[in-house]
Structures are given as C-alpha cells and as structure tokens.
Amino acid sequence: MVDKKSVYELSVGGSIPDTDIIDGGLKVDEHDFVPHFQRVSISGEDTSGVPLEDLHRASKMLIDALHVREEYMTMSNQSFPLLTSRFLRSGKEGPDIDHHVHDDKKTVEDHPVHAPQSTGDPWDCDFPPVSDCVIKLKAGVFQVYPDDTTETPLNYPYPDLATFIADMNKLCCMIADGPLKSFCYRRLSYLSSKFQLHVLLNELRELASQKAVPHRDFYNIRKVDTHIHAASCMNQKHLLRFIKKTLKNHWDEVVTETVKDGKMTLNEVFQSMNLTSYDLTVDMLDVHADRNTFHRFDKFNAKYNPIGESRLREVFLKTDNYLNGKYFARIIKEVSSDLEESKYQNAELRLSIYGKNLDEWDKLATWAITYSVYSDNVRWLIQIPRLFDIFKNNKLMTNFQEFINNIFLPLFEVTKDPQSHPNLHKFLQYVIGFDSVDDESKPENPLFDKDVSTPDRWSDEENPPYAYYQYYMFANLTILNHFRRDKGLNTFVLRPHCGEAGPIQHLVCGYMMAENISHGLLLRKVPVLQYLYYLAQIGIAMSPLSNNSLFLNYHRNPLPEYLARGLCVSLSTDDPLQFHFTKEPLMEEYSIAAQVWKLSSCDMSELARNSVLMSGFPHKMKQYWLGPNYTKEGVAGNDITRTNVPDIRVAFRTETLIDELSNIFKVIYKDGGML
C-alpha cells in the first residue's frame, strides 16, 4: 500500500510536507490510503508541453471560465465538484483550506441498513404553512417580495439577461481562441494516451480486484437511465401487447370525443381505421426509427404516433386526454414493475409540460396521484418543449411572457401556499429537475445582442433562440430554488438536451447553467469546451443507439473517447420505443456498447457509477447504492463492494484530474496569490 501523500507526489511531481499544499490547491490527509498500481509520471516542472507564456494565458482563461460556472451553479443551488471548487477557492482565499477536505464526510453509521423504500402512502408529506411573501414579475423573472408594501425583493441572486449575454459572449470568444484551442486539444490528446497507458499497465489488476469482490458483478450494480422519455419508455412489443390487451378487455370504453365524430369507444376508434386486434403487428405499429429518420427529426417525431395515427398517441401515450391519462398510467406502471423486478435498474422519466395554460401542472399531478404512478425505481424530470412559435402561430398566446407564466407561476404559488395546489405539492417531491427539448438542428439567430427584447415584448412569430429559452428557465428556476430552500422544500436542477446538433452556443449555455446535459455529441468538435466539461466534471447522458438513428453513426460516436479522457459520461436509452428491442433496454444499450467498443467490465461499472452520481435520486438511496462516503472525492468515496469499480480506476481518475488542475493553477497562483 502507498499512502495518499505519495500518490499526490507522483501525480504532481516532487515531494511535499505532510501538511502542505499541492500547488495552492489541496491539502493532504495522510490517513487516507489508495491502492498500489503502476503510474506514469512525467519528469520536469512544466508538464504542459507548451511555452510558459501560452500556458499562463491558457490557464488564466480556463480559470476564468471555471469561475463563471461555479458562480452560476452556486446561485442556482446546483452542484459543482468539490475538488475543482477547492482549487478555485484556494486561489481566491489563500492556501489554508483544510476545513473543506472533510466536507460531506459520512460514517458507516450513516449508511442505511436496508434499501430506502416508501412505506405506506408515497404521496403523504408535510404541508408547510402559507407564506406572507408576494410573487411579482420583473423583466420575465418572478421575484419574491416579503410583503405587499415592500418594493425590494428578497435577496435571491440571479444573473440578469445582460450579464448572462456578456458571460456567454466571453465564453464564445474563448472557445474560438486559436492558442487556447491548441492547448486544450493537446491536453485532451494527452488524457487519451494516458488512459491507454493506464489500461495497458493495470487492466489485469483492475480485473483481479473486481473478481475478489463477493456477490457483486455488472448485473447487480445500480444503474440509472439518466435520459429517457416517459412517452416512449416501453419497447414496441410491450406497446403492441398493451394495445391488444386493452382493446380486448376495454373495447366498449369511451376514449375520445371530437366535434366531428362525437364520443367514440376504443372499438369504434379501431373500426374507423379498419383494424382489428388480430391485424395489429409490430410492423404495422411503425414506431421504430429506421434509416429514413437519419437527419429527419420530423419523421422521427411522427414515430411517436402508433400506426401513424395521432389519435392513438393521444389515447395511449398522453396524460391529458378524455380518460385523463388512464391507459398511459397503466403502461408506465407496467414499465415501473419491470424495473422493480430487475431491482438494479432505475429510470428518470421525462413528462411534458408544454406551457399552453396554467392548468397543466395540476392535471399532471392529479394524473400521477389518481392512478398512483409511483415507484422507488423512478423519478421524474419535466421536459419543456420549445414550441412558442407554434403556440403563437395558432394564436394560443400573444407573447413569450405567457409561456413563462404557464410554466413557473403554479410552481411559485404552490411553494408559497402548498394548500393552493395540494396534489402538485405532493407530486413535486419526486420531481428532480427540468429538461428542454426540441430539434436542435433548426436554424436560429444566436443570442448576442444585450438589447434583446424581454419576454413581454417578444411577440414575433419566430421562435426565440435556444439560449433565450435556457436563460429564462435558469433565472426563474434559480429564484424558485432559493424560495423552496428557505421553506425547507426540495429544489430542482436544469438538465437540458444539449449538443446533439445545432450551434456550439448550445453547449456554452449548458456549461454555464446546466448541472448535467443530454447528448453532448458536438463537444467532439470543440476542444476548449470539452476540456472545460472535463475540469468541471459535468455529467453527460449519452444515447449512442438514439444518435445512430438520428444524427451520428454508431462507430463515430465520441462516448468511448469521452470515457477514456475522464469526462463524466453515462449510458442512457432516450426512447426505447423507437430504438430498442428487448425487455431491458438499458442493458441492451450497455451490451451493444460493450461489444462494439470492447468496453471492459471496469469501464461498464464506471459508466454505471457515473449514472448514479449524476442522477437526482435521494442522498440516502445513493448511500445505499454507492457506499456511505460516496460524496467524498477519490478512493475515499468509492466502495467496490457496491459499485464494482476498482479503487485503482477511481484513484487514477482523481489523480489525473488533480494533475490537470495543478497544471493550470500552479502557473497562475503561488502561495494563494496571482503571479
């Protein structure tokens, strides 16, 4: 065994006293131990491979960018990695940061003996008393005032639109900087090569440590599907079987009502299509993505309609319909039952709030509670489709402010007085965050003008840019999180679709405002952003099978490259209805990735551990799944008996990240101050 002090000496070069600082970044705890494995050390003080001038300039820009993200994450009550935060803090406040080293340290006594599960009514919860606060709107962002007479809102910090645009412009200029691009590309190439050397030297050790763990293997470690849509969380065979069963048992149930046809039973709906239960096949259902959907998001969206009929989608796959989503609730519960049976698979299902009217939240919450759509293996994300242009063209609203009101006003009302929306208050305890969805490849005007219209004046038929949507979601979410935290309620995170297609500015927005993102394919083209995503350890939920049908052939997917470099990536299914064939779509995703990219058992376990870390499941559940100390950095936070990830791999990742951060910070800061 080698003590941690020696490990850090190896990772940064040279020797250090027992209680000294590593390049102004992190204090050593000599009582923590890491496993012995073969490391590659680079001789000399300067390990960047670039002239000192270039290193100094690149380091300053990267540190500025990290400060921007930390500020936005702190404001919005979202997470920022402790390790990177300590380096940033040591530069600003001096070297004495020992009090941060043991943050979030958990003891074995904190560890749940049994898996945390709901007992009794899962919707039972406390109702805090009504608040005297007043909610008012200011330039598109809801503000909380102590009372009606006070003109100054509560001190809930958030960036105004001009500040956000200035920060985004600064980052956009940064990622286009030639010398910085070269520096980041070299560091990313170095990370890839270093990982290949690590595997070459330590693969057998990693495998041996996995084999030495009793009971645990890849099949019985916890995995979370971090990106999956509720309306397509079942496979095509499951949907077909469900439709046939429903048609057989509930053929006489009235399922829809239209002005033209009046009320129609399920049997009459199928008769109008000249179909019987016997006729239905998977091919006729036609919900699977194929070669015709490649770069055709319009055709892909049409696949959500079974047999090409939007009426069937409304009957079976919607929460707000004539039956109040009864059939959709049943099939979601069947999927949840499959997850519970598998025990080790979990999902964060996305439900839609369109922003068409103020009643959507209450209807969604009533749907969930009426049909008891709950599972210990499922948490909810709310996806907001970027469809203002369609609502505007159909004269459903006059300006963008109405869209924001419909999404956020009910959330502020229920936070102020839970009794005003009792079902919504109960439902929100299982909502973990917000997603932003639509076809990213649609052309748009980038958001660079500080004088852009506020939402109450945005009445164009043109859809606002991606960054405009993200800013107002982030700003309102930030105020809402402050308000909910003060009342002792759970807060939310922003986890949008980002970087699947479209402009690079989307990824800049994700870097600034999102705790995690989904897809992130375009990072492969932007070395500066990719390196920043690595340094900030931003979670990226990747769906190679989905991308293969829509935007990027499987063999070109950057996931194995991201994983090798140490980015925090996980595997997810996106839409099992369109892309998967088996009863366990997440395992299908893992198995195909393992076969095509020759992933080792250690790689697969690392991806699974990442998925749990970036998920929104409760702290107690994560403790049970990953170990009592999972919030600590490095080996101290890993429990191989639960994660099946060898300490060797975790130590390598942590030391490499420390090495990269040290490489940047040691040029800029010396003894806690600027050089």
Side-chain angles (χ1 to χ4, degrees), residues 249-286:
N249 297 328
H250 305 278
W251 58 273
D252 58 345
E253 191 165 21
V254 176
V255 295
T256 185
E257 182 177 16
T258 62
V259 175
K260 179 183 175 184
D261 301 317
K263 293 182 179 180
M264 295 179 72
T265 64
L266 189 58
N267 192 47
E268 288 170 341
V269 168
F270 276 86
Q271 282 179 348
S272 70
M273 296 183 285
N274 294 318
L275 284 175
T276 66
S277 175
Y278 179 79
D279 297 328
L280 288 175
T281 65
V282 160
D283 293 333
M284 186 176 289
L285 213 58
D286 193 28

Side-chain angles (χ1 to χ4, degrees), residues 445-464:
N445 293 319
L447 187 67
F448 289 122
D449 186 0
K450 292 183 181 180
D451 298 323
V452 67
S453 300
T454 52
D456 58 318
R457 291 167 49 208
W458 189 290
S459 53
D460 302 346
E461 292 188 353
E462 180 186 355
N463 210 25

Side-chain angles (χ1 to χ4, degrees), residues 478-535:
T478 297
I479 301 291
L480 181 64
N481 278 348
H482 283 296
F483 192 23
R484 290 181 68 82
R485 187 190 60 184
D486 284 355
K487 294 207 66 176
L489 300 171
N490 62 305
T491 56
F492 309 114
V493 299
L494 184 60
R495 288 170 51 180
H497 281 52
C498 185
E500 186 178 21
I504 300 303
Q505 285 82 8
H506 296 188
L507 284 164
V508 176
C509 290
Y511 172 78
M512 292 169 65
M513 299 185 291
E515 182 172 283
N516 304 328
I517 65 167
S518 298
H519 295 300
L521 295 177
L522 293 179
L523 281 176
R524 73 191 194 279
K525 296 182 177 180
V526 197
V528 176
L529 266 182
Q530 189 182 145
Y531 193 54
L532 283 169
Y533 270 70
Y534 165 70
L535 294 175

Side-chain angles (χ1 to χ4, degrees), residues 9 218 313 351 375 417-418 433 473 475 497 587 608 615 661 665 667:
E9 286 174 350
F218 172 70
R313 180 181 179 180
L351 293 168
S375 169
D417 179 13
M473 279 184 66
H497 281 52
M587 292 298 285
S615 75
L661 289 166
F665 278 81
V667 179

Side-chain angles (χ1 to χ4, degrees), residues 342-375:
S342 72
K343 186 177 178 182
Y344 298 100
Q345 296 178 51
N346 306 271
E348 297 177 320
L349 299 180
R350 279 142 173 85
L351 293 168
S352 292
I353 290 290
Y354 294 93
K356 281 194 287 191
N357 57 62
L358 289 167
D359 297 332
E360 284 183 87
W361 278 106
D362 286 324
K363 287 179 178 177
L364 182 63
T366 302
W367 166 81
I369 292 170
T370 301
Y371 300 111
S372 193
V373 190
Y374 169 82
S375 169

Side-chain angles (χ1 to χ4, degrees), residues 28 70 109 133 147 177 185 209 293 353 450 511 543 610 634:
V28 173
E70 185 188 36
E109 286 73 29
C133 295
D147 51 56
D177 183 80
Y185 176 76
S209 62
T293 58
I353 290 290
K450 292 183 181 180
Y511 172 78
S543 310
N610 286 347

